[in-house]
Amino acid sequence: MMDQSITRRGQPCWYRLPKVGNIAINDSFMLEAAIYHLFRKHFRSEPYYVDLLDLMHETTLQTEMGQLVDLITAPEDHVDLTKFSLEKHRFIVLYKTAFYSFFLPVALALYFVSPTNPEIASPDTLHLAKEILLPLGEYFQVQDDYLDCFGTPEQIGKIGTDIIDNKCSWLINVALAHANPEQRAILDECYGHKDLEKETRVKKVYAELDLVGKYNSYEKESYEKITGLITQLPADGPLKREVFTSFLEKIYKRTK
């Protein structure tokens, strides 16, 4: 609703369905409350119950901070590309996506098995996992940004709108870092407008700057970096390398 999106995962966004509208806000609160209802029902007697609650509350806060920075950096009704930077994009990505999409599920699993192996959910082990999973989440979101522009709706399950919605995406930030004065003027004039011709002009600048090639280089570097972090895990440690390798292989060079 905050993004005014049309589709997600190939389906109309919930709030856009007949007779839903703003009721979707209450539905979102119901879903969040259901998390804690399920935790209480199934895990209240477990020694790690408080850890689950603490992790979920912390992750919710992190995600909301990332969403807030995203919204105030790139409001749809006021385009100001001077607010954009790759550093700002990284902060948004880590907090808005990486914590809840990648670190949260692994941390939950580590707590779940901790009664039989306390070391697996120690602060040091959780830190090691986070050091791999956050870069993995960052890479995943950059892929999303790339596919929003260069993927098809059939591939990604939604209509790409980052350019017309004034999104602080990886592509626009890389373009701003490499654009000449003429290209920068086009980006300032055309980015963030619900106008097909202006969107096309932005994409033309992207093509001139070879953002496809720059993305391919980024993807290769990210894969090598994350692979290196995985191989640094102690072979006899509590974290299994193959778990992280499996995550990486699932998203490497994905097209949807």
Side-chain angles (χ1 to χ4, degrees):
M1 293 183 73
M2 287 182 274
D3 296 339
Q4 295 295 296
S5 296
I6 299 170
T7 60
R8 275 294 186 278
R9 310 292 185 263
Q11 300 293 329
C13 289
W14 180 246
Y15 79 97
R16 298 183 69 90
L17 295 182
K19 299 183 180 180
V20 177
N22 287 342
I23 294 174
I25 298 171
N26 193 70
D27 290 340
S28 73
F29 295 154
M30 294 281 288
L31 287 170
E32 184 176 8
I35 295 170
Y36 300 101
H37 175 79
L38 291 169
F39 278 0
R40 186 173 62 253
K41 179 178 179 180
H42 296 287
F43 302 107
R44 188 169 185 174
S45 62
E46 299 293 342
Y48 52 83
Y49 177 59
V50 173
D51 293 314
L52 298 186
L53 298 178
D54 184 61
L55 175 64
M56 189 61 67
H57 284 304
E58 181 67 13
T59 304
T60 300
L61 175 62
Q62 290 163 334
T63 306
E64 290 167 349
M65 286 195 296
Q67 176 71 358
L68 175 62
V69 174
D70 190 15
L71 291 171
I72 63 178
T73 299
E76 285 193 54
D77 59 350
H78 180 69
V79 182
D80 182 1
L81 298 185
T82 63
K83 291 184 176 181
F84 288 12
S85 68
L86 283 168
E87 292 76 15
K88 183 75 69 65
H89 175 265
R90 185 170 187 270
F91 178 91
I92 292 170
V93 164
L94 290 179
Y95 280 81
K96 184 180 173 181
T97 301
F99 278 107
Y100 93 86
S101 294
F102 287 85
F103 178 67
L104 173 64
V106 173
L108 288 172
L110 296 179
Y111 282 126
F112 183 72
V113 299
S114 63
T116 58
N117 184 3
E119 184 186 356
I120 202 166
S122 70
D124 287 344
T125 303
L126 289 166
H127 177 75
L128 278 175
K130 188 182 296 183
E131 290 293 295
I132 297 170
L133 294 165
L134 292 188
L136 195 61
E138 181 180 1
Y139 165 47
F140 179 85
Q141 184 59 53
V142 171
Q143 284 180 315
D144 252 18
D145 292 352
Y146 173 81
L147 291 170
D148 183 273
C149 180
F150 295 105
T152 65
E154 292 74 23
Q155 285 179 311
I156 62 177
K158 66 177 181 178
I159 300 167
T161 60
D162 281 0
I163 292 174
I164 64 174
D165 287 345
N166 189 35
K167 287 296 184 182
C168 182
S169 80
W170 184 83
L171 292 174
I172 184 62
N173 281 293
V174 173
L176 291 171
H178 291 87
N180 61 36
E182 181 182 351
Q183 292 167 328
R184 174 60 190 252
I186 293 172
L187 295 176
D188 282 328
E189 176 189 349
C190 298
Y191 197 80
H193 295 275
K194 299 186 188 303
D195 181 302
L196 180 59
E197 181 182 350
K198 289 186 175 182
E199 181 185 26
T200 301
R201 292 179 68 193
V202 171
K203 289 185 175 181
K204 183 179 178 183
V205 172
Y206 284 2
E208 292 169 356
L209 295 171
D210 188 26
L211 290 197
V212 172
K214 288 179 171 60
Y215 170 78
N216 288 334
S217 296
Y218 167 85
E219 183 169 55
K220 181 175 182 293
E221 292 169 5
S222 295
Y223 183 84
E224 291 173 351
K225 173 188 175 181
I226 296 167
T227 300
L229 292 170
I230 294 171
T231 57
Q232 289 176 18
L233 288 174
D236 57 349
L239 296 177
K240 304 304 178 186
R241 295 176 183 175
E242 55 267 28
V243 173
F244 299 95
T245 301
S246 174
F247 278 3
L248 179 58
E249 295 301 332
K250 283 181 185 296
I251 67 173
Y252 181 53
K253 290 192 177 296
R254 69 185 175 98
T255 59
K256 60 182 181 178

